[in-house]
Amino acid sequence: MRTSRHAAPASLPIGSDADLAWVRQQVRQAAAELGFGLVQQTKLVTAASELARNTLVHGGGGHVEITPLDAGASPGLRLAFVDAGPGIRDLDQAMTDGYTSGGGLGLGMSGAKRLVQEFEVDSRPGEGTRVTVTSWATVVPPTRPGS
């Protein structure tokens, strides 16, 4: 798989609430440029918002790497949220709906996973966390005459 000819990979800091808004805006723009439909854009932006907030709140800040992908007819977008925080001690527990280590609803990680096609977590206690998600634009076939 190669990166897309649409746009170059970008790395954005996640260190404040203002950065969270910027990440959401940039993810939506990148997805739109790659041909993601509005529903697909919304799912990806929602997942990015949850993961960026986790990076800030639980990881102490970090960055997101936004990489357009080109797999032939179906463009995609890979987002990697990286922090050097405390890491996730119990990944299975963190991925359980309703579990929260903060004050939220406990749907951040598991909810984000449901919104994307590919989801991977690499976390080591004391070393930080990298959550990588990938979504692919669904190509909608053109309508046929008479349908």
Side-chain angles (χ1 to χ4, degrees):
M1 180 161 338
R2 59 187 197 268
T3 57
S4 174
R5 61 191 168 281
H6 294 281
S11 180
L12 303 175
I14 300 172
S16 68
D17 284 340
D19 291 339
L20 299 178
W22 181 242
V23 166
R24 287 190 297 268
Q25 181 181 6
Q26 293 304 301
V27 169
R28 182 170 302 278
Q29 180 178 334
E33 288 174 0
L34 289 167
F36 281 66
L38 185 57
V39 171
Q40 292 176 302
Q41 290 175 39
T42 301
K43 287 180 177 183
L44 188 56
V45 169
T46 301
S49 182
E50 292 292 336
L51 296 172
R53 179 156 298 284
N54 282 355
T55 300
L56 178 62
V57 172
H58 302 293
H63 68 278
V64 60
E65 300 162 3
I66 302 173
T67 307
L69 303 172
D70 187 355
S74 183
L77 196 58
R78 178 175 296 135
L79 309 174
F81 297 85
V82 182
D83 68 60
I88 302 170
R89 279 184 271 135
D90 187 339
L91 186 56
D92 289 334
Q93 186 178 42
M95 293 300 298
T96 302
D97 283 349
Y99 172 76
T100 180
S101 59
L105 298 174
L107 297 173
M109 294 266 287
S110 60
K113 182 177 182 179
R114 285 191 293 274
L115 294 170
V116 297
Q117 283 89 21
E118 299 171 25
F119 185 94
E120 181 182 336
V121 179
D122 181 18
S123 185
R124 293 180 184 86
E127 295 182 25
T129 301
R130 179 184 189 93
V131 179
T132 305
V133 299
T134 305
S135 285
W136 299 96
T138 303
V139 178
V140 179
T143 56
R144 294 181 301 210
S147 353

